[in-house]
């Protein structure tokens, strides 16, 4: 067991190779920048979500995460993997790894916010793949709700629903 999500990934050499590459790149950034993560400071999270409206939002997001002690590494997936993202610690620094397997802006933002949910809510390792789409694991549901509520707040969805009802 690798401690990654609820599945046993210890025999998944593609996944372990990808995670090793993400870890290597994260360690380089950690040594260079020396990030300071403050788990209790979440005042900036809404600012991160608002970056999704900007054309250069992904680059701005990477910088904002780094400013708050979280390393974001984009590393292409290895053929045969079905992973969108992962969250784990490297030397006490939270790392979010993303594959951009579905290279669409909506997938980027949802995956980023989902993994950030794992960092902020669970402080545990997570690898999110196709099996997680239908997972009943409470942590996955919480990370999905965290991402969804940041990107499309429930109040907005309720307002749209109410506007569609006949008067």
């Amino acid at each position: 067991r690798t401690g990654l999500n609820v599945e046993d990934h210890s025999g998944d050499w593609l996944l372990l190779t990808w995670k090793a590459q993400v870890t290597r790149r994260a360690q380089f950034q950690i040594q260079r920048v020396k990030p300071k993560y403050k788990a209790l400071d979440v005042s900036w999270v809404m600012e991160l979500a608002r970056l999704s409206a900007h054309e250069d939002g992904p680059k701005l997001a990477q910088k904002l995460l780094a400013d708050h002690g979280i390393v974001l590494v984009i590393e292409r997936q290895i053929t045969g993997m079905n992973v969108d993202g992962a969250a784990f610690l490297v030397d006490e620094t939270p790392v979010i790894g993303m594959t951009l397997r579905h290279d669409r802006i909506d997938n980027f933002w949802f995956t980023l916010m989902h993994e950030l949910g794992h960092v902020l809510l669970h402080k545990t390792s997570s690898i999110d793949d196709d099996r997680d789409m239908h997972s009943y694991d409470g942590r996955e549901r919480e990370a999905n709700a965290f991402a969804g509520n940041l990107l499309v707040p429930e109040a907005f969805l309720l307002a749209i629903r109410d506007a569609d009802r006949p008067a």
Side-chain angles (χ1 to χ4, degrees), residues 65-81:
L65 287 164
D67 290 347
H68 291 280
I70 300 172
V71 175
L72 172 61
V73 174
I74 308 296
E75 179 66 33
R76 284 185 308 137
Q77 76 166 7
I78 300 169
T79 302
M81 283 177 49

Side-chain angles (χ1 to χ4, degrees), residues 45-155:
V45 173
M46 288 303 297
E47 180 184 351
L48 179 66
R50 285 190 289 273
L51 294 177
S52 66
H54 296 267
E55 190 171 321
D56 59 346
K59 283 189 184 280
L60 296 172
Q62 189 170 31
K63 180 177 181 342
L64 184 61
L65 287 164
D67 290 347
H68 291 280
I70 300 172
V71 175
L72 172 61
V73 174
I74 308 296
E75 179 66 33
R76 284 185 308 137
Q77 76 166 7
I78 300 169
T79 302
M81 283 177 49
N82 291 313
V83 171
D84 292 311
F88 52 91
L89 295 175
V90 173
D91 301 331
E92 303 301 316
T93 299
V95 173
I96 295 174
M98 293 176 56
T99 64
L100 303 183
R101 173 171 69 119
H102 301 293
D103 194 5
R104 301 183 324 256
I105 197 69
D106 63 323
N107 189 260
F108 171 86
W109 285 107
F110 187 84
T111 300
L112 177 63
M113 295 304 186
H114 176 98
E115 298 306 333
L116 181 62
H118 284 302
V119 169
L120 298 177
L121 300 172
H122 307 132
K123 298 166 186 62
T124 59
S125 296
S126 161
I127 296 274
D128 294 307
D129 59 18
D130 283 343
R131 291 176 296 237
D132 295 327
M133 292 290 288
H134 307 289
S135 173
Y136 292 102
D137 176 26
R139 291 178 301 158
E140 289 307 310
R141 285 194 309 271
E142 288 173 351
N144 283 340
F146 178 86
N149 286 326
L150 276 174
L151 295 170
V152 183
E154 187 174 358

Side-chain angles (χ1 to χ4, degrees), residues 156-167:
F156 181 74
L157 293 175
L158 292 174
I160 291 171
R161 181 196 70 191
D162 293 343
D164 285 343
R165 288 188 177 164

Side-chain angles (χ1 to χ4, degrees), residues 24-63:
R24 186 185 68 76
R25 291 182 55 202
Q27 285 172 323
F28 176 76
Q29 290 182 39
I30 291 166
Q31 291 170 356
R32 195 182 50 148
V33 178
K34 312 262 188 282
K36 302 286 186 248
Y37 176 65
K38 296 178 187 145
L40 298 179
D41 176 17
V42 294
S43 60
W44 55 274
V45 173
M46 288 303 297
E47 180 184 351
L48 179 66
R50 285 190 289 273
L51 294 177
S52 66
H54 296 267
E55 190 171 321
D56 59 346
K59 283 189 184 280
L60 296 172
Q62 189 170 31
K63 180 177 181 342

